[in-house]
Amino acid sequence: MPDISTRYVYAALLATFGFAGTARAALPDPGDFSVTYYVTDESGEFVRPMVERDFRYFSNRARCECGQRVGIEVKAKANAMLDTASRIQAYIGTQCPTAETSLAGQFLRCGVLAQLLGAEYIKGISGAFHPAFLPFGVDPAAPTRDVGAPETILGEGCGDVQGEAGLWLCSPNENAIAGCQAQDFFYGPDNALSKLSDIPTLAYDFSPPLMKVTGLTAEPGSGGVELHWEVPGAGDIAGFRVLCEEADSGASLGLDKATPDLLDLPSGTHYFTAGNLCGAEPFSTVKIAGQGVEDPGVCGNGVVEAGEACDDGDDNGPAGLCDAGCGLRVSAGLHALDWDHVCSDHIPFSSESVAIAGLENGKTYNFVLVAYDAFGNPRVHDKVVTATPDEALPAVGGDEGAAEGCACAAGQGGPGLWAMSLVGLLGLARRRRR
């Protein structure tokens, strides 16, 4: 149960909406409800309850594009003083009280999870929703707002956005205007309110890192290559990975680096793409209003269309992964940031160099640097660097690493901070990817 100070916060929050209401029954106490969010599998089945790290970092762009639904269970606590005959409406989204009454404002109305009597909440209700319901409301023209209905239409999809959202509960005053008004909401993940209560809040981030690294170069050695880059300053990059391939064949190096699983706790040491998580078949989808392509048929609009092998928008260019004519300069797998092409372990955000050893002298390789944030949203450096190891050059990774077949080091221009043997990596059983 919230303490007295928290009750005042709720009262103040409701008062700020500025509605002069008539007398009505007291709203339910937010502390009388238990809310649990769940990580779900491909079919939307609950797998495990979310913990703090999931709340902070789980909802990224790839999971939105794959439609990896968020499970939720809402239940009135055993000692709740709840009117079983009162109607309680549950919504998923951002700023639902404002959106519900300001139809022409900044926010679209939230998706509906349930509209049931209090007695049902005593038994407990559960459901699952697409991650896009967190930041985006329902299009006014949609025939329904049900988060589980295929005909529900959202105003936007999985675009560049970040924030906090979650479950909102309201109890409409049946003697006043139909539906919930702003003052009828008694539970919600308001940014200020969540810091003073036990209401769980889901953070979401569908945007790649804002910071861009510069000055990427590749310096060949014997049996390997050293990559160097510059990080402008503090920002939202959590780390880096290097992706490699043979330049002639486009073949990956087969290093079989450990990759994240769909259900893993967020670690901040991997990036995620929809292709890696769900391939060509998303787990669930939602309809989006007004989906279309700006400048259709134009190379450089960021959408792969008929006759184009790729289109990276502003990153198209003579040194990019996709050239100015929308043709690939690397293999399709490397362009898609397929995990098979990962050839480094997690590189800390403060590092500005890495050594990739265990390469064949005389063979030319392509290298791509991928930065990612704590949610795992990637931003690929818009320049492919190419290098050819040469036995006449100093060994990369040290004599011991060259003899074993692989050594990788990351740092800020100095000696390597860590090393790993390719022999050991090749001895690992290949992890099954989802």
Side-chain angles (χ1 to χ4, degrees), residues 50-69:
M50 284 190 172
V51 296
E52 181 65 23
R53 194 157 187 84
D54 293 310
F55 293 146
R56 292 180 178 273
Y57 303 117
F58 192 82
S59 300
N60 58 29
R61 185 169 193 150
R63 298 188 194 279
C64 182
E65 291 176 342
C66 283
Q68 184 178 1
R69 286 168 285 192

Side-chain angles (χ1 to χ4, degrees), residues 73-93:
E73 182 180 59
V74 186
K75 191 172 184 178
K77 296 179 180 178
N79 60 346
M81 301 295 293
L82 187 63
D83 180 0
T84 58
S86 65
R87 189 156 55 95
I88 297 177
Q89 300 181 183
Y91 298 94
I92 300 295

Side-chain angles (χ1 to χ4, degrees), residues 19-357:
F19 286 87
T22 58
R24 60 156 295 161
L27 289 169
D29 190 325
D32 284 344
F33 290 83
S34 171
V35 178
T36 306
Y37 291 96
Y38 290 87
V39 173
T40 70
D41 61 15
E42 297 96 326
S43 61
E45 296 296 322
F46 293 7
V47 175
R48 62 175 176 82
M50 284 190 172
V51 296
E52 181 65 23
R53 194 157 187 84
D54 293 310
F55 293 146
R56 292 180 178 273
Y57 303 117
F58 192 82
S59 300
N60 58 29
R61 185 169 193 150
R63 298 188 194 279
C64 182
E65 291 176 342
C66 283
Q68 184 178 1
R69 286 168 285 192
V70 178
I72 186 170
E73 182 180 59
V74 186
K75 191 172 184 178
K77 296 179 180 178
N79 60 346
M81 301 295 293
L82 187 63
D83 180 0
T84 58
S86 65
R87 189 156 55 95
I88 297 177
Q89 300 181 183
Y91 298 94
I92 300 295
T94 299
Q95 298 300 329
C96 298
T98 301
E100 200 66 18
T101 52
S102 302
L103 302 184
Q106 177 183 357
F107 304 101
L108 294 177
R109 293 196 296 173
C110 297
V112 175
L113 177 68
Q115 294 178 314
L116 299 168
L117 296 179
E120 297 298 320
Y121 289 85
I122 292 177
K123 293 186 292 186
I125 66 168
S126 62
F129 57 89
H130 193 287
F133 279 97
L134 290 172
F136 301 121
V138 177
D139 184 81
T144 179
R145 295 164 60 190
D146 188 339
V147 297
E151 60 269 26
T152 300
I153 304 172
L154 291 180
E156 298 183 55
C158 302
D160 291 348
V161 67
Q162 53 188 284
E164 296 181 358
L167 173 75
W168 296 81
L169 297 175
C170 68
S171 181
N173 186 354
E174 303 295 352
N175 296 324
I177 303 173
C180 280
Q181 302 302 298
Q183 71 270 24
D184 297 329
F185 283 82
F186 62 89
Y187 183 106
D190 182 82
N191 288 345
L193 185 62
S194 64
K195 294 175 174 58
L196 299 174
S197 72
D198 294 327
I199 294 177
T201 300
L202 289 175
Y204 57 85
D205 189 339
F206 302 162
S207 304
L210 299 176
M211 177 185 291
K212 294 184 178 182
V213 300
T214 59
L216 179 64
T217 60
E219 181 181 348
S222 178
V225 171
E226 288 189 4
L227 273 64
H228 298 268
W229 60 89
E230 297 176 0
V231 181
D236 57 345
I237 293 176
F240 305 92
R241 295 271 181 163
V242 176
L243 279 64
C244 312
E245 69 176 7
E246 297 178 2
D248 290 339
S249 66
S252 66
L253 305 190
L255 297 184
D256 199 27
K257 294 290 184 180
T259 57
D261 185 83
L262 181 72
L263 308 176
D264 284 348
L265 190 71
S267 66
T269 61
H270 293 93
Y271 68 85
F272 297 83
T273 69
N276 286 325
L277 279 183
C278 61
E281 296 293 334
F283 309 139
S284 69
T285 59
V286 289
K287 293 182 179 180
I288 308 299
Q291 278 188 314
V293 178
E294 294 183 9
D295 303 323
V298 176
C299 176
N301 63 5
V303 180
V304 179
E305 299 171 277
E308 299 177 345
C310 56
D311 195 329
D312 294 341
D314 293 338
D315 289 340
N316 283 15
L321 283 70
C322 186
D323 64 27
C326 285
L328 285 170
R329 296 189 61 249
V330 295
S331 69
L334 181 54
H335 180 263
L337 308 185
D338 192 290
W339 286 328
D340 284 340
H341 286 269
V342 173
C343 60
S344 79
D345 290 319
H346 168 72
I347 303 169
F349 71 93
S350 58
S351 298
E352 294 184 324
S353 66
V354 66
I356 308 295

Side-chain angles (χ1 to χ4, degrees), residues 3-19:
D3 59 21
I4 294 177
S5 61
T6 305
R7 292 178 187 273
Y8 282 138
V9 172
Y10 281 109
L13 176 67
L14 299 176
T16 59
F17 292 121
F19 286 87

